[in-house]
Amino acid sequence: MDEKYFPEAIEKKWQRVWEERHAFEAREDDPRPKFYCLEMLPYPSGFLHMGHVRNYAIGDALSWYKRLQGFNVLHPIGWDSFGQPAEQAAIKRGVNPRDWTEENIAHMRGQLKRLGVSYDWSREIAAHRPDYYKWDQWFFLKMFERGLAYKKTSQVNWCPKEKTVLSNEQSSGGVCWRCGAAVEKRDLDQWFLRITDYAEQLVADIKEIEAGWPEKVLKRQRDWVGRSEGAYIDFAVKNSDRKIRVFTTRIDTIFGATAVVLSAEHPLVAELLEGSSLKSDVLKFAERVKAARAAKQDPTEEEAKEGINTGALAINPFNGENIPIWVANYVLMEYGTGAVMSVPAHDERDFEFAQKYILPIRQVIAPVSHGQGQAEPVPATGGDQSRVMHSAFTDYGVLINSGQWGGKLSRDAIREMADFAEAKGFGCAAITYRIRDWGISRQRFWGSPIPIIYCDDCGMVPVPMADLPVVLPATAAFTGAGESPLAGVAEFVNTTCPKCQHPARRETDTMDTFVDSSWYFFRYCDPRNDAAPFDPEIIKQWTPVDQYIGGDSHAVMHLIYTRFWTKFMRNLGLVAFNEPVKRLLTQGMVTNRVAGTDDWKAMSKSLGNGVDPDDMIAAFGADASRLFVLFAAPAENELRWIETGIEGAIRFLRRVYTMVWRWHERLSDPVQKRSAAGIEEFSAGARALRRKTHQTIARVTADFEQLHLNTSIALLMELFNALTDFDAAPSSASEADLFAVREALESLVLMLAPISPHVAEEMWEGLGHADGLLGGKAKWPVADPQLARQEELEIPVQVNGKLRSRILAAPDVTEEQLRAAALADEKIRAFIDDHQVLKVIVVPQRLVNVVVR
RNA sequence: GCCGGAGUGGCGAAAUUGGUAUACGCACCAGACUCAAAAUCUGGCGAGGUCACACUCAUGUCGGUUCGAGUCCGACCUCCGGCACCA
């Protein structure tokens, strides 16, 4: 230990020691209980940014904490190394995406090591390496075998700027999730994974994780799956054998249906108009709607409702009424059945539409009167259209004007009417979901090739498992044009059919990179397995993940896909649980002021408000950087970058270091390593220090469990301040004083280790421990409740709820004694002497409140 | 529009879940050290009020419940996210 704190030297030294000792490598033959701590794997853009630093500082703190508590900790890292930026670099600068990616990984690996994150580097994986993406292909084929991977022509979301297909999730809001360009629609043959088969489980299993996941993430997942309970109802088309199936959540309003409305894309539109004089007008209208939708610039903008009457009639199966069939722009083909029953009185959109086109509005639900007891229908207002409604009444209520169902409550009618429809054969209760199948085809080079071969004779043939991986060629022509660059690589495309051995062609699309990240953390458990994605027995030892940490930008995409993938692996018998992640922490963004403005935005190159972690580490050291990032705000909050904050962090570390230096010679002397048992008497000051030490241990431990790292650092600072106040000098300290100081300093150093591990190691060594924090002897401290107990309580005394005095009392003071002491207190007497004491409230060991009049 | 979440000093934030509001840090002010500055150390730091106490007022606003409310209830305001014609 040097007299002065030199972060660079200390950090280099301990990073080397850790590496030599393989300190962070997790072993399967370790009998201790496991803990799997996972951070979202980074895309190797080339440079670590502050968001990474925050993410890994949090995960590393937890990993260290669990290690010191005696857990066998798995803390791995890898690279989400397929994806668009590498391909863009190839297009723009002619570099090879593989070289570009490998260089970036090498650089970022160095940065992570300089940050001192305690990863098990022996398990490092990268998605772009054949030994990884082989298993993407393997899973794909498993899904293909089971009909869960399929190909269909579909309208896809197309980013005109990047010239590629995007998933629904990636084009959420009608803009490309990466570049922000407005997304267009195109027809292409695409591969899909049938995530909709798992829609129900994705909602239902939320109950298994809701204790450990942030509510805001679960809410977004529920919204994304979009489960909706209702019913299908078939409306027969008059003078035809056609039926129109609609989906409704409000079957109780069906007597108020005054139209059936189809979306412009509905397949029945053309058929209905066969031989009708309105045909050309309606088809023109439908085309116009489709064109308007495709051309829409601002996807959030709601178009004015427009529609056209087809002239055809539908028959309401509940009352036999004939109602017109319309086509309108507000009905979406993608949701439900692409057709709705229009109930203007009880749906805002239908109401608006009916007002515009003067369709009848018929009230069939009345508010439940808020009287006592039974619900009473509000009297029907004589005739069906005589009452003018000014807006739709969308609440549940009581059915009126609804034949045999009149007088029933909505919630009963919804159930009974669906049963009735089913019994009569014109409908049934149904659940729909908003979630769509996951389109994974990408017309790109830099991804895992989809292992399918097209043969003129045999059709679509899966690549045999034994032939995996389908390896990407070394390079291709990167033009940036629409088709996958793989299509231009003859050696790749041309192959033979596995079935008939005739010449055949390979699929040239590659997989969405979210496939890679859906199961990567299982691969960490068994990263070099070349016979399977992983050994199920090894998986059993490590998974599920105990704590996952990452940004909430992945709340729906990655975190839904990985839940889906896990459920599929469970169906394959590879894992034995439904949910891969027990606890999830979504850390807040790191923002910085954009120069010349008052806007705080996520750090980015384009905004010029980035702070380079390397610069920060060079200037302040990894330990201070990590301390600052963890201390500045709760992990979930946005973290606004403030230059001066980090100076406070290094100041604290320097003070602690200096304190350890001051004592280390006395304390590292083995003669001083005595237990408390032999010490007869501690001074009041030493007792106070020990009390503070044990109180701090208890509270910091509780904070670590909750990942409240900012407050745990504040507590460590308080303990340090108590040490500063402790009035003893190393040269003259008594044995008891030395003991108290040792206990405080060692606890402080141990609890600081997860946050600033290098300097903690250095100080631990300085305190006379030769084998390091992970040598097996160092243990997370345990609080002794007896020692943490206050010797004397300061009890606030209130008069009428206002603080008027404080009294001192022994911890075992009785209620009676407290009451008497409070009433006898001079300051309190001044407030109560001229008043009548109505009552005295005594909260044992906490507070006294005297109520007077 | 609908659904979440949040409003506490100059700033980032605490508050054992109904019991001393503002812990810890940043910034700032003063003092010590220094020829001086930086660094470091010591002290101060919600607002009003007072020579100093006392006291009064303060957790977005207004009400309520309670001996007691940052915390619970009701209404409203503002900000930040998410979704967006989802039938």
Side-chain angles (χ1 to χ4, degrees), chain A residues 486-794:
Chain A
L486 287 175
V489 183
E491 319 82 271
F492 178 83
V493 175
N494 298 323
T495 183
T496 53
C497 172
K499 271 193 191 162
C500 68
Q501 312 307 320
H502 289 156
R505 286 156 289 112
R506 286 191 190 281
E507 170 65 64
T508 57
D509 283 356
T510 53
M511 297 183 205
D512 182 2
T513 57
F514 278 106
V515 169
D516 310 324
S517 56
S518 290
W519 65 282
Y520 73 100
F521 49 90
F522 292 94
R523 182 71 179 173
Y524 284 140
C525 302
D526 191 11
R528 308 291 167 243
N529 196 325
D530 57 8
F534 47 76
D535 178 345
E537 284 307 306
I538 294 176
I539 286 298
K540 217 179 274 177
Q541 181 171 349
W542 294 114
T543 57
V545 171
D546 293 285
Q547 178 73 58
Y548 199 16
I549 303 158
D552 63 7
S553 55
H554 292 106
V556 283
M557 293 191 267
H558 165 57
L559 288 169
I560 283 229
Y561 296 146
T562 195
R563 292 181 61 220
F564 157 61
W565 211 274
T566 301
K567 292 168 198 303
F568 173 64
M569 294 197 302
R570 177 206 57 204
N571 289 359
L572 288 181
L574 295 177
V575 302
F577 44 79
N578 298 319
E579 291 293 336
V581 172
K582 285 197 213 163
R583 286 221 303 175
L584 172 71
L585 174 87
T586 49
Q587 106 238 8
M589 281 195 304
V590 181
T591 61
N592 199 1
R593 198 190 291 273
V594 179
T597 73
D598 249 355
D599 296 342
W600 292 82
K601 297 240 170 84
M603 290 184 176
S604 83
K605 229 178 242 171
S606 56
L607 289 172
N609 64 342
V611 174
D612 186 347
D614 277 344
D615 293 347
M616 182 175 62
I617 292 168
F620 302 99
D623 284 332
S625 302
R626 293 168 52 156
L627 176 72
F628 167 63
V629 159
L630 295 176
F631 180 56
E636 301 81 358
N637 286 22
E638 174 187 338
L639 169 52
R640 294 187 165 196
W641 194 257
I642 296 165
E643 282 301 325
T644 51
I646 187 156
E647 290 175 22
I650 195 164
R651 201 176 296 153
F652 173 66
L653 291 180
R654 210 180 280 131
R655 284 183 190 140
V656 176
Y657 186 94
T658 304
M659 172 85 73
V660 170
W661 171 259
R662 219 160 69 84
W663 288 91
H664 91 285
E665 270 184 49
R666 284 298 305 272
L667 291 178
S668 59
D669 175 357
V671 175
Q672 298 302 338
K673 293 183 186 172
R674 299 249 182 96
S675 73
I679 296 169
E680 271 153 33
E681 202 170 346
F682 287 93
S683 65
R687 287 203 306 276
L689 180 60
R690 298 198 68 195
R691 192 182 313 128
K692 187 71 183 176
T693 300
H694 285 270
Q695 287 173 345
T696 304
I697 293 168
R699 294 172 65 189
V700 169
T701 305
D703 276 352
F704 262 85
E705 288 297 327
Q706 300 298 315
L707 288 175
H708 293 166
L709 301 175
N710 58 324
T711 49
S712 69
I713 293 166
L715 289 163
L716 296 181
M717 289 172 169
E718 280 192 57
L719 176 57
F720 174 78
N721 291 343
L723 263 161
T724 306
D725 293 342
F726 182 58
D727 191 20
S731 54
S732 59
S734 69
E735 206 178 337
D737 287 348
L738 281 174
F739 182 88
V741 170
R742 160 183 292 286
E743 183 179 50
L745 275 180
E746 289 193 346
S747 301
L748 180 57
V749 167
L750 285 164
M751 292 189 287
L752 190 60
I755 294 150
S756 300
H758 313 82
V759 67
E761 285 272 25
E762 185 72 10
M763 293 190 290
W764 187 246
E765 191 178 64
L767 289 169
H769 304 280
D771 52 351
L773 285 165
L774 296 171
K777 288 183 197 150
K779 286 270 150 52
W780 187 261
V782 177
D784 180 336
Q786 281 306 313
L787 292 168
R789 217 176 109 134
Q790 290 293 347
E791 290 179 4
E792 196 172 45
L793 302 175
E794 193 188 51

Side-chain angles (χ1 to χ4, degrees), chain A residues 351-427:
Chain A
F351 184 84
E352 194 187 325
F353 190 69
Q355 292 238 304
K356 179 162 178 180
Y357 291 101
I358 334 257
L359 298 173
I361 298 172
R362 185 192 308 148
Q363 186 175 4
V364 295
I365 305 289
V368 175
S369 55
H370 292 284
Q372 64 291 350
Q374 275 302 99
E376 246 173 75
V378 168
T381 50
D384 46 14
Q385 285 144 55
S386 61
R387 175 165 169 171
V388 178
M389 294 181 81
H390 298 285
S391 63
F393 175 72
T394 58
D395 288 351
Y396 292 119
V398 173
L399 276 68
I400 57 173
N401 301 325
S402 296
Q404 67 181 103
W405 312 97
K408 286 195 182 294
L409 289 171
S410 291
R411 65 163 183 274
D412 298 328
I414 285 171
R415 199 181 54 245
E416 292 171 23
M417 291 171 91
D419 290 347
F420 178 80
E422 186 155 10
K424 297 285 183 185
F426 59 78

Side-chain angles (χ1 to χ4, degrees), chain A residues 278-436:
Chain A
L278 296 168
K279 181 172 179 178
S280 71
D281 285 350
V282 174
L283 290 184
K284 240 182 256 168
F285 171 79
E287 285 312 312
R288 194 153 54 79
V289 168
K290 285 186 228 176
R293 197 168 297 160
K296 191 153 78 169
Q297 285 300 311
D298 175 8
T300 63
E301 181 196 318
E302 202 167 293
E303 291 163 80
K305 290 184 177 44
E306 281 191 84
I308 188 165
N309 193 336
T310 65
L313 293 173
I315 302 165
N316 184 335
F318 271 85
N319 59 11
E321 194 177 355
N322 292 349
I323 53 178
I325 302 173
W326 284 65
V327 175
N329 64 346
Y330 76 98
V331 178
L332 306 175
M333 193 61 219
E334 309 88 71
Y335 185 77
T337 60
V340 301
M341 64 179 198
S342 176
V343 185
H346 303 293
D347 182 280
E348 277 167 29
R349 296 151 300 177
D350 295 340
F351 184 84
E352 194 187 325
F353 190 69
Q355 292 238 304
K356 179 162 178 180
Y357 291 101
I358 334 257
L359 298 173
I361 298 172
R362 185 192 308 148
Q363 186 175 4
V364 295
I365 305 289
V368 175
S369 55
H370 292 284
Q372 64 291 350
Q374 275 302 99
E376 246 173 75
V378 168
T381 50
D384 46 14
Q385 285 144 55
S386 61
R387 175 165 169 171
V388 178
M389 294 181 81
H390 298 285
S391 63
F393 175 72
T394 58
D395 288 351
Y396 292 119
V398 173
L399 276 68
I400 57 173
N401 301 325
S402 296
Q404 67 181 103
W405 312 97
K408 286 195 182 294
L409 289 171
S410 291
R411 65 163 183 274
D412 298 328
I414 285 171
R415 199 181 54 245
E416 292 171 23
M417 291 171 91
D419 290 347
F420 178 80
E422 186 155 10
K424 297 285 183 185
F426 59 78
C428 59
I431 296 167
T432 60
Y433 302 90
R434 205 180 65 144
I435 192 171
R436 304 268 77 91

